[in-house]
């Protein structure tokens, strides 16, 4: 199977061009390629496929083989791949996902995409007023936001001290969330800047999460902590989230980088 390794703000996936390749069992392939020691090493697998409804279709699978609904960092890389490899002829494209069709506007330099802005759609506010929850015997509060996939946003004083490898699974698999949940831990720096760490369902802690950054930014705006445009700093870099309250749409801008290409037998 031929593949291309790409990353957006450190959120790395293995991408397969399914205009040319066939992946018979993408769930098993995701587990195989994602392993950091025995595979390529990634947060999951993304298939770039033909679409009857958009320019291309994205299917993304987490490192544990479960299929995800949407990934903001991955979709920017899908846009980059589609442009750089001649699958599309415009820098404004549409991408079909399980979370709906998303529109991307891409910025190029020397004929290659370096950055993309994604219309993430209208975030669904599940619990604007912080909802109480008990995790590992401690009382917490979260703001629930769906950006195609579910997010629970927790505001913290110090995100660096969190041992996510230890506590993350308890947040992800809490009985409050029967379908599991992505958990964001957010530290507000000022009205233009927040920091975030994320525990993603099916992948654990990742260096970035585009839908999580969007959910965290919108939660911060709803709580009055920030302006309606905010920089979200993650382990892998910065994303800029803008929320247009009039239309309800949230927009995410950030980098997209091709790392290398290769071939793997699985």
């Amino acid at each position: 199977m031929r593949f291309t390794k790409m990353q957006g703000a450190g959120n790395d996936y293995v991408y397969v061009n399914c205009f040319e390749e066939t992946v018979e069992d993408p769930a098993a392939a995701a587990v195989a390629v994602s392993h950091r020691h025995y595979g390529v090493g990634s947060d999951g697998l993304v298939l770039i496929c033909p679409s009857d409804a958009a320019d291309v279709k994205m299917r993304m699978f987490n490192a544990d083989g479960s299929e995800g609904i949407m990934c903001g960092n991955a979709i920017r890389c899908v846009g980059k791949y589609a442009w750089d490899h001649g699958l599309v002829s415009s820098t404004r494209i549409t991408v079909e996902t399980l979370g709906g069709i998303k529109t991307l506007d891409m910025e190029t330099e020397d004929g290659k995409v370096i950055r993309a802005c994604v219309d993430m759609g209208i975030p669904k506010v599940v619990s604007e007023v912080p909802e109480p929850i008990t995790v590992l015997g401690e009382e917490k509060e979260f703001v629930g936001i769906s950006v195609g996939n579910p997010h629970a946003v927790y505001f913290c004083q110090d995100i660096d001290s969190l041992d996510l490898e230890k506590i993350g699974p308890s947040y992800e698999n809490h009985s409050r969330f029967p379908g599991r949940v992505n958990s964001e831990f957010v530290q507000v720096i000022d009205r233009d800047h927040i920091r975030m760490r994320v525990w993603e369902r099916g992948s654990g802690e990742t260096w970035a999460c585009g839908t999580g950054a969007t959910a965290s930014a919108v939660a911060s705006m709803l709580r009055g902590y920030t302006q309606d445009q905010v920089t979200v700093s993650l382990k892998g870099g910065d994303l800029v989230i803008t929320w247009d309250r009039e239309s309800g749409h949230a927009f995410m801008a950030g980098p997209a980088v091709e790392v290398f290409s290769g071939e793997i037998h699985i």
Side-chain angles (χ1 to χ4, degrees):
M1 180 180 78
R2 288 174 293 173
F3 70 88
T4 298
K5 173 78 174 283
M6 304 182 76
Q7 60 90 4
N11 197 189
D12 61 336
Y13 288 88
V14 169
Y15 293 77
V16 177
N17 180 353
C18 289
F19 286 76
E20 300 175 352
E21 299 278 328
T22 299
V23 181
E24 298 292 348
D25 188 346
V31 174
V33 301
S34 296
H35 200 287
R36 300 276 176 188
H37 298 288
Y38 298 111
V40 179
S42 68
D43 292 325
L45 173 71
V46 175
L47 307 183
I48 304 172
C49 310
S51 170
D52 293 329
D55 292 312
V56 295
K57 178 179 180 179
M58 177 180 89
R59 294 186 67 193
M60 62 85 58
F61 295 81
N62 297 307
D64 67 353
S66 59
E67 186 165 8
I69 296 171
M70 224 309 261
C71 176
N73 291 310
I75 201 171
R76 294 198 313 276
C77 291
V78 168
K80 174 179 172 58
Y81 185 97
W83 169 264
D84 289 1
H85 293 263
L87 301 182
V88 298
S89 57
S90 172
T91 53
R92 167 169 279 196
I93 69 167
T94 53
V95 179
E96 179 185 355
T97 76
L98 289 180
I101 295 176
K102 307 299 182 185
T103 301
L104 284 71
D105 287 294
M106 297 177 290
E107 179 184 340
T108 64
E109 186 176 280
D110 297 326
K112 302 289 185 181
V113 170
I114 58 170
R115 185 177 175 84
C117 181
V118 185
D119 182 345
M120 300 293 284
I122 302 175
K124 179 182 178 182
V125 181
V126 179
S127 55
E128 179 177 346
V129 176
E131 181 178 328
I133 189 172
T134 302
V135 186
L136 295 171
E138 294 187 21
E139 296 297 321
K140 304 289 184 181
E141 290 183 333
F142 72 89
V143 176
I145 305 281
S146 173
V147 191
N149 48 9
H151 296 270
V153 180
Y154 301 84
F155 290 97
C156 310
Q157 293 297 317
D158 177 20
I159 62 173
D160 294 322
S161 63
L162 299 173
D163 186 351
L164 289 194
E165 288 298 323
K166 180 179 180 180
I167 68 175
S170 296
Y171 282 85
E172 175 186 354
N173 298 291
H174 194 281
S175 59
R176 168 64 178 80
F177 310 104
R180 299 186 297 167
V181 71
N182 301 285
S183 303
E184 283 74 36
F185 303 89
V186 176
Q187 181 177 344
V188 178
I189 305 303
D190 56 40
R191 291 190 57 77
D192 300 305
H193 185 201
I194 63 175
R195 296 179 62 225
M196 184 193 100
R197 290 177 67 188
V198 57
W199 183 270
E200 292 196 57
R201 61 177 183 175
S203 291
E205 183 174 16
T206 59
W207 279 34
C209 174
T211 57
T214 303
S216 296
V218 170
S220 301
M221 296 164 191
L222 285 170
R223 301 302 299 156
Y225 299 148
T226 67
Q227 311 267 13
D228 286 354
Q229 183 177 83
V230 64
T231 297
V232 183
S233 293
L234 308 110
K235 274 192 167 186
D238 291 349
L239 300 174
V240 176
I241 309 298
T242 305
W243 189 25
D244 181 349
R245 294 195 190 226
E246 184 175 347
S247 69
H249 285 243
F251 298 86
M252 176 198 59
V257 178
E258 184 171 319
V259 183
F260 63 87
S261 295
E263 188 170 340
I264 186 171
H265 297 281
I266 55 175

